[in-house]
Amino acid sequence: MALAVRFHDQRPEDAERSLREEVLAGFAGQPKATPPKLFYDRRGSELFERICRQPEYYPTRTEELILARAAHDIADLAGQGASLVELGSGASRKVRLLLEAMQPASYLGIDLSEDFLRASTQRLASDYPALEVHAACADFSRPLTLPDGFDGAHPLAFFPGSSIGNFDPPEALALLANLHELLPEGGGLLIGVDLVKEREVLEAAYNDRAGVTAAFNLNLLERVRRELDSDIEPDQFVHRAFFNEAASRIEMHLVSPRAQEVAIEGERFRFAAGESLHTENSYKYSLEGFRELAGRAGFRPLTQWTDPQALFSVHYLQRTRAGLTPPAACGA
Ligand code: AVJ
């Protein structure tokens, strides 16, 4: 039995800049840089699913392990009658662990990619016939509201995968502040956060031996060639990923080993030998560092869980009455 998913279109008017606009702006920048959301066309999403299964890429399986162990504690913290709101609603098994432990009456998936959102929420609706399933197409880096008809009295928001790592600290703070706005006082936020660790382990996760992360990174240039008018040759670029310890982030780049010029949509862009296009940042936190950031956005850290090797963390945060604390007011 496949029950209908209630679909809510909450896309902002000026919604998305097109691939063309993002690429032209990114290649014209100094340094050259493009936003990581450009990775996720159909092929990019498939490659990401494969990254998650690589032996070096610990975040996915570690977060699943943590959630499987903590699911009943999480359900107790969320309390009877809680609904579940998933941000970046994916194909993941993670949310199923929570659905089974919490048994909520309603679920809301929020994602910007409409096709993906419709497919994943439809699967949940058929697998959990008693669950009232809502889907909202919205950008959670902008202010959000719960859609009409969704039971928002007692929601638990779930933001898995360390997706927060793609945002630099001020953006991450703004995103948490949006979630603070979305939730009623006392509401919960369950968020997966990747942890700082030895360089070797971090760098291996973004340089898997099978080359899947490299293919994922280079797919961005394949996309430019497929979807835009361009003579760019992806094999003239190489994948590079390294830990920038001072900034506490993995950086992914596409490096041009030789000087070259590429044309995109009638514009020409020069790469010097060794120059790169910066395609992603993935910030890594300490437990205390993340708790502090959450506190500044008006969340009280109630519990956090890690795996035995402290590779990854899941935090249960409670929305307090207070909103964003200005940085000047929160010194020691
Ligand atoms: C989806 C942002 C959590 O940063 O680990 C994986 C994306 N990029 N390998 C991450 C990614 C390269 C991933 N996030």
Side-chain angles (χ1 to χ4, degrees), residues 14-66:
D14 57 332
E16 272 193 280
R17 284 169 89 187
S18 64
L19 176 70
R20 181 179 182 279
E21 290 170 312
E22 294 283 13
V23 166
L24 290 176
F27 276 68
Q30 196 56 254
K32 294 177 173 64
T34 46
K37 67 176 181 201
L38 301 188
F39 287 135
Y40 299 94
D41 66 345
R42 202 191 166 81
R43 167 115 181 102
S45 301
E46 281 165 15
L47 285 166
F48 180 67
E49 294 293 312
R50 280 178 58 198
I51 287 174
C52 293
R53 296 193 299 267
Q54 295 310 301
E56 299 91 340
Y57 193 75
Y58 61 83
T60 310
R61 63 170 181 276
T62 309
E63 186 178 38
E64 274 173 27
L65 178 95
I66 294 169

Side-chain angles (χ1 to χ4, degrees), residues 109-279:
I110 304 179
D111 205 301
L112 195 50
S113 158
E114 183 177 338
D115 293 348
F116 208 60
L117 177 67
R118 284 191 186 270
S120 61
T121 51
Q122 190 56 63
R123 273 194 304 273
L124 284 183
S126 8
D127 293 350
Y128 299 90
L131 187 66
E132 182 181 301
V133 178
H134 294 251
C137 195
D139 180 351
F140 47 76
S141 64
R142 310 264 196 117
L144 295 166
T145 51
L146 291 172
D148 290 338
F150 178 76
D151 169 21
H154 204 36
L156 174 65
F158 178 46
F159 192 31
S162 202
S163 300
I164 188 112
N166 271 162
F167 298 85
D168 69 26
E171 291 168 346
L173 190 62
L175 192 152
L176 290 171
N178 287 341
L179 299 181
H180 186 276
E181 280 285 289
L182 176 79
L183 293 168
E185 195 180 338
L189 170 59
L190 185 70
I191 182 166
V193 182
D194 197 12
L195 297 175
V196 182
K197 60 187 66 67
E198 313 84 84
R199 173 181 298 276
E200 291 66 34
V201 177
L202 284 169
E203 291 185 345
Y206 295 83
N207 291 282
D208 61 280
R209 296 198 53 180
V212 184
T213 307
F216 172 76
N217 198 8
L218 284 158
N219 178 57
L220 178 72
L221 303 182
E222 304 278 2
R223 248 199 109 176
V224 170
R225 218 165 53 146
R226 279 195 296 268
E227 297 179 43
L228 304 177
D229 175 24
S230 176
D231 65 359
I232 197 161
E233 293 180 41
D235 63 4
Q236 294 302 308
F237 291 83
V238 294
H239 164 72
R240 181 148 179 262
F242 60 89
F243 185 49
N244 174 341
E245 194 175 352
S248 197
R249 67 190 189 204
I250 286 281
E251 294 186 14
M252 293 221 305
H253 294 257
L254 289 161
V255 182
S256 171
R258 286 168 290 279
Q260 60 179 312
E261 224 175 77
V262 300
I264 306 173
E265 299 279 318
E267 294 187 28
R268 305 193 65 79
F269 302 96
R270 268 196 55 76
F271 282 83
E275 189 181 346
S276 75
L277 173 71
H278 186 172
T279 51

Side-chain angles (χ1 to χ4, degrees), residues 56 59 67 82 87 100 106 151 158 229-230 239 284 286 315:
E56 299 91 340
L67 288 171
L87 301 145
E100 276 150 39
S106 42
D151 169 21
F158 178 46
D229 175 24
S230 176
H239 164 72
K284 309 302 171 187
S286 65
H315 298 245

